[in-house]
Amino acid sequence: MNPSALRELVPAVIGVLVRRGADFASAEDAVQEAVIRALETWSDDPSRGDPVRDPKAWLIATSWRRFLDAARAEESRRGREAVVAAEPPPGPGPAADDTLRLYFLCAHPSLTPASAVALTLRAVGGLTTQQIAAAYLVPEATMAQRISRAKRRIAGQSLDRAGDPATVLRVLYLVFNEGYGGDVDLAAEAIRLTRQLAALTDEPEVAGLLALMLLHHARRDARTDADGRLVPLAEQDRRRWDTGLIAEGVEILQTALARDRLGEYQAQAAIAALHADAPAPAETDWPQIVEWYDELLRLTGSPVVQLNRAVAVGEADGPRAGLAALGEVDPGLPRHTAASAYLHERAGEIGRAADLYAEAARSATSVPERDHLIRRAARLRGS
Amino acid sequence: MKYLLLKHYRGGPEPVVDYETIDHWSPDEVDAHMRYMSDFASKLEATGEFVDAQALAPEGTFVRYDGEGRPPVTDGPFAETKDLVAGWMVIDVESHERALELAGELSAAPGPGGEPIHEWLELRPFMSNKAETAE
């Protein structure tokens, strides 16, 4: 059994333990320990077969035993009688509901985004603390504490209640944007978790986020060149886009849009789909992209959307119109200077554009973006 | 977001408290200062915000390339170097405000007489290695 198939069992197994009477925090710890044990002892060699015939039953039995041991140790520490029954009460129930509720619990609004992300990756994603710590470049002890604190914070929250899907989607989108980290492909993991969520719910925005992720993921290979340099959309080799993922993303999006309950992820996915649909940059349907940005702005009121809209206006109606639209955007926004540089370049004001690119590079918050802006400035100054 | 809290032996704005360098403190004062630092790190580990802390020896050497096949040139140490880094702590926090709050707290480490030394700490954000997904 491969590690990802093992991970998929985790939320359902936590659900089983909780229905047998375990509290979420202890159940989650017990399942994590069982997963680590399985990863250590199960063979990767398929010819040797799985050491257990029914991995799910093994995980349930092992984690339940761990839970009982921990509960008994805790009780004897406190000098009390065991209150946990050795024989689990029967508690069958739909595993799908358990998994869905775990998504809501792990993205609970009382948690900080970083805690919600960590808890979701462990309890819903089935990743180990070590993997999550490596992905986010923090020590394992720090990540372990972050997760236990998150669990203490939501202690007492019932697993029976559904929450706001928007909080779950935000957490999944954060994971997606983290990309690669350590030995875990977080973007692929986010897609897996969103796909699973989409299968459990009937919410068009979940489908919208899944479509958005697939459409972005389809361009991942083309987004950097062989030397790791960032390649802007207009310069990407479109033959390197994954047409299978694009087709799937577009189909999911169309089904969602047909439900006529528009939300921000569907609108963002629509913009990504219009980019994906153009065989060459010049064939991009910019007027329609601007319309989607108007929709997105109406839905979110976000200044970042306003900024991106100004760049799209620059493509649809010319750089002067774009600069006019940018004039209405808060100049303190990150990437405002970079957008201004780009529009000035398009308007033929090369010297001004080079200065703006250089200025934008100084305030960039990521290394690939800074390097890209420095190269733009250097290229314009050398021309 | 990750931030570097940079501790300087010298350099930075004018100190607000005039105190002797740590080698002139009493052993108890030195212990109290060190304990404050390590308690601070443990506290951050418990809140899930600690990444790394390192102290640096005060004396260093400047090194540079000197051409193909030649050994690197060294220079220093310089007794009068204006800016001297003493060590750092790396934290991973939710917001810039939280980073400021923690830096302020670390700057309150006790010095002579157990009084906070009000040391200036330099707070620098890490640049991320991820390119934004938005295009």
Side-chain angles (χ1 to χ4, degrees):
Chain A
M1 168 167 230
N2 65 41
S4 65
L6 174 71
R7 292 215 307 272
E8 281 171 29
L9 300 171
V10 165
V13 174
I14 293 174
V16 169
L17 264 62
V18 169
R19 268 187 285 113
R20 284 181 180 182
D23 62 287
F24 165 70
S26 311
E28 202 275 337
D29 274 338
V31 176
Q32 168 84 184
E33 283 172 31
V35 165
I36 291 170
R37 171 106 194 277
L39 289 172
E40 282 166 358
T41 55
W42 293 7
S43 168
D44 284 338
D45 179 4
S47 68
R48 288 173 58 194
D50 284 327
V52 290
R53 226 180 311 165
D54 183 346
K56 187 172 175 186
W58 184 92
L59 265 190
I60 292 172
T62 307
S63 50
W64 181 248
R65 214 158 39 235
R66 297 250 162 182
F67 165 72
L68 288 180
D69 289 348
R72 285 195 192 106
E74 175 68 14
E75 276 150 4
S76 81
R77 196 180 61 80
R78 292 193 193 163
R80 288 205 206 129
E81 281 287 299
V83 291
V84 179
E87 271 304 304
D97 286 358
D98 290 341
T99 301
L100 181 58
R101 282 164 190 159
L102 270 187
Y103 276 90
F104 287 116
L105 186 64
C106 294
H108 196 271
S110 69
L111 299 175
T112 61
S115 311
V117 160
L119 190 55
T120 299
L121 286 174
R122 212 173 89 151
V124 189
L127 291 172
T128 65
T129 308
Q130 193 185 12
Q131 287 172 313
I132 304 168
Y136 286 90
L137 302 173
V138 300
E140 191 176 342
T142 295
M143 190 51 83
Q145 288 295 342
R146 201 177 281 179
I147 292 167
S148 339
R149 272 171 73 92
K151 290 203 289 192
R152 280 201 297 278
R153 185 162 274 263
I154 55 169
Q157 293 290 336
S158 163
L159 247 179
D160 296 341
R161 222 170 308 139
D164 179 3
T167 59
V168 176
L169 297 182
R170 244 190 317 274
V171 167
L172 296 174
Y173 197 37
L174 275 178
V175 174
F176 179 74
N177 282 326
E178 202 59 36
Y180 286 110
D183 61 346
V184 183
D185 183 346
L186 288 172
E189 182 63 12
I191 289 175
R192 180 178 81 77
L193 295 179
T194 309
R195 217 188 264 286
Q196 180 174 276
L197 181 64
L200 297 171
T201 60
D202 189 27
E203 175 59 53
E205 273 294 85
V206 178
L209 178 62
L210 179 58
L212 175 64
M213 287 176 175
L214 294 171
L215 289 163
H216 272 298
H217 208 58
R219 297 204 289 266
R220 176 153 82 166
D221 288 349
R223 206 172 284 132
T224 45
D225 68 11
D227 298 320
R229 285 185 292 234
L230 211 59
V231 184
L233 186 57
E235 292 164 29
Q236 287 172 16
D237 178 355
R238 297 183 178 219
R239 286 166 306 181
R240 293 179 66 199
W241 290 0
D242 186 326
T243 48
L245 284 182
I246 290 173
E248 189 190 354
V250 168
E251 196 189 322
I252 291 170
L253 174 64
Q254 279 168 343
T255 310
L257 288 175
R259 307 276 307 279
D260 210 16
R261 278 166 54 205
L262 190 62
E264 57 175 306
Y265 292 111
Q266 293 170 77
Q268 282 194 67
I271 293 166
L274 284 167
H275 284 303
D277 194 42
E283 292 170 62
T284 308
D285 188 347
W286 287 106
Q288 213 189 326
I289 288 177
V290 173
E291 280 174 30
W292 276 111
Y293 272 121
D294 289 336
E295 235 10 289
L296 195 52
L297 195 56
R298 192 180 55 74
L299 288 163
T300 64
S302 148
V304 176
V305 170
Q306 216 187 342
L307 179 77
N308 293 333
R309 182 189 169 275
V311 176
V313 167
E315 303 290 349
D317 302 331
R320 290 286 153 216
L323 283 166
L326 190 64
E328 286 160 32
V329 182
D330 174 9
L333 271 188
R335 306 171 103 208
H336 187 282
T337 314
S340 176
Y342 177 72
L343 289 166
H344 278 95
E345 181 187 355
R346 303 267 306 175
E349 293 178 50
I350 302 304
R352 176 101 180 94
D355 290 347
L356 286 166
Y357 276 127
E359 190 190 325
R362 281 192 294 276
S363 58
T365 56
S366 93
V367 174
E369 210 171 309
R370 179 198 62 191
D371 294 354
H372 170 70
L373 293 165
I374 289 172
R375 282 192 201 97
R376 286 301 259 231
R379 201 160 77 185
L380 291 187
R381 283 179 175 153
S383 65
Chain B
M1 295 171 246
K2 292 200 182 72
Y3 285 86
L4 176 70
L5 299 180
L6 209 52
K7 196 177 160 66
H8 298 258
Y9 283 114
R10 289 198 295 272
E14 200 61 34
V16 289
V17 175
D18 191 20
Y19 58 89
E20 297 261 35
T21 51
I22 196 163
D23 48 311
H24 295 286
W25 301 0
S26 77
D28 286 350
E29 287 165 348
V30 173
D31 283 348
H33 183 82
M34 300 308 183
R35 203 177 314 118
Y36 186 94
M37 295 307 204
S38 91
D39 288 352
F40 186 77
S42 310
K43 193 190 86 175
L44 289 195
E45 198 166 280
T47 58
E49 295 172 309
F50 178 81
V51 180
D52 186 33
Q54 299 290 335
L56 295 174
E59 290 204 343
T61 309
F62 282 81
V63 187
R64 71 168 174 83
Y65 177 65
D66 196 39
E68 190 59 46
R70 298 163 65 101
V73 176
T74 62
D75 204 351
F78 302 102
E80 293 308 313
T81 307
K82 274 215 208 103
D83 190 5
L84 208 56
V85 174
W88 68 73
M89 187 175 285
V90 178
I91 56 176
D92 187 12
V93 292
E94 274 314 318
S95 65
H96 187 68
E97 289 67 36
R98 176 65 177 158
L100 285 174
E101 182 189 339
L102 289 176
E105 205 177 307
L106 188 58
S107 157
E115 289 298 311
I117 54 175
H118 295 268
E119 163 188 46
W120 285 104
L121 287 168
E122 190 182 356
L123 183 67
R124 302 270 300 265
F126 273 45
M127 288 187 87
S128 125
N129 281 313
K130 327 271 178 200
E132 292 264 337
T133 306
E135 284 161 337

